[in-house]
Amino acid sequence: MANVNLQPTFLKNAILELVPLKPEAFEALYAVASDPLIWEQHPTRNRYQKAIFTTFFEGAIASKGAFLVLDTPTQEPVGSTRFYDFNADDKSIKIGYSFLSRVCWGKNYNRAMKTLMMEYAFEFADRILFEIGGSNLRSQKAIERLGAQKIGEEAIAYFGEQPNTNFIYKLDKVDWENL
């Protein structure tokens, strides 16, 4: 179990493709992330600023589980997401740090992205956890629509940032299989 690949290269469907994030993707991803409305409900509301986004990007690269999300038909970057904190003892993993361009909102991109990730993760994990900013109602509703349940709140410091209140959601493999 310790050799779980957190950046597989085969996560793709007709809507989007998840490509392991590389340093050379910074400018392309920042072009997406520079939209202030993407971050309006996020604890780090100024992440659209290049200096703040740079810290986020450095954390994504350091995680060794981050992806550049591409629109499958156009191959244009539309966001990012990542796997992190795999725990072999309790067979859990976290999915998060996700954002998508506003052109993707309301068009099934988030569901398609999370479904690809969850189906892969449930090959080696029994539980997926999601840490979502306490003020991010859009992401909370989206993850609840996928069957995740809120199980708590925690102050979490993102890479290079101060702690913020996050809601913790879980989705167990048996619940996913029964959906």
Side-chain angles (χ1 to χ4, degrees):
M1 278 293 171
N3 293 330
V4 170
N5 181 3
L6 297 184
Q7 287 183 309
T9 57
F10 53 81
L11 297 179
K12 181 179 180 178
N13 59 30
I15 297 173
L16 50 77
E17 179 177 356
L18 280 60
V19 177
L21 188 64
K22 304 289 184 209
E24 53 271 15
F26 177 84
E27 290 299 334
L29 189 56
Y30 178 66
V32 175
S34 63
D35 178 352
L37 293 178
I38 290 175
W39 309 105
E40 69 181 346
Q41 293 184 19
H42 194 275
T44 310
R45 286 182 170 81
N46 61 347
R47 192 170 281 157
Y48 64 90
Q49 298 172 2
K50 197 166 196 173
I52 306 301
F53 183 77
T54 297
T55 300
F56 172 85
F57 190 84
E58 289 169 354
I61 295 296
S63 77
K64 298 184 180 0
F67 296 92
L68 177 65
V69 179
L70 302 175
D71 177 88
T72 298
T74 67
Q75 290 295 289
E76 292 294 320
V78 294
S80 182
T81 190
R82 71 179 89 158
F83 289 118
Y84 62 105
D85 291 352
F86 173 64
N87 183 324
D89 294 333
D90 71 4
K91 295 182 75 176
S92 69
I93 191 165
K94 294 177 182 175
I95 294 175
Y97 294 91
S98 306
F99 71 91
L100 290 168
S101 168
R102 285 190 295 143
V103 300
C104 300
W105 293 4
K107 297 180 183 171
N108 209 29
Y109 278 77
N110 187 57
R111 176 178 288 276
M113 178 174 68
K114 294 292 193 314
T115 298
L116 277 173
M117 296 178 80
M118 292 185 304
E119 288 178 354
Y120 173 69
F122 283 136
E123 292 178 17
F124 56 85
D126 292 333
R127 173 173 285 174
I128 298 173
L129 298 168
F130 306 88
E131 300 170 329
I132 300 174
S135 60
N136 194 338
L137 299 176
R138 186 170 35 247
S139 291
Q140 292 167 28
K141 288 178 185 178
I143 207 67
E144 288 169 358
R145 283 193 296 269
L146 290 172
Q149 299 173 349
K150 182 181 173 190
I151 59 171
E153 297 180 21
E154 188 176 336
I156 297 172
Y158 303 139
F159 183 88
E161 298 179 12
Q162 295 298 313
N164 290 291
T165 299
N166 278 248
F167 294 168
I168 312 303
Y169 287 80
K170 74 164 179 86
L171 182 61
D172 290 329
K173 184 176 185 176
V174 294
D175 296 330
W176 177 250
E177 290 170 344
N178 291 329
L179 283 179

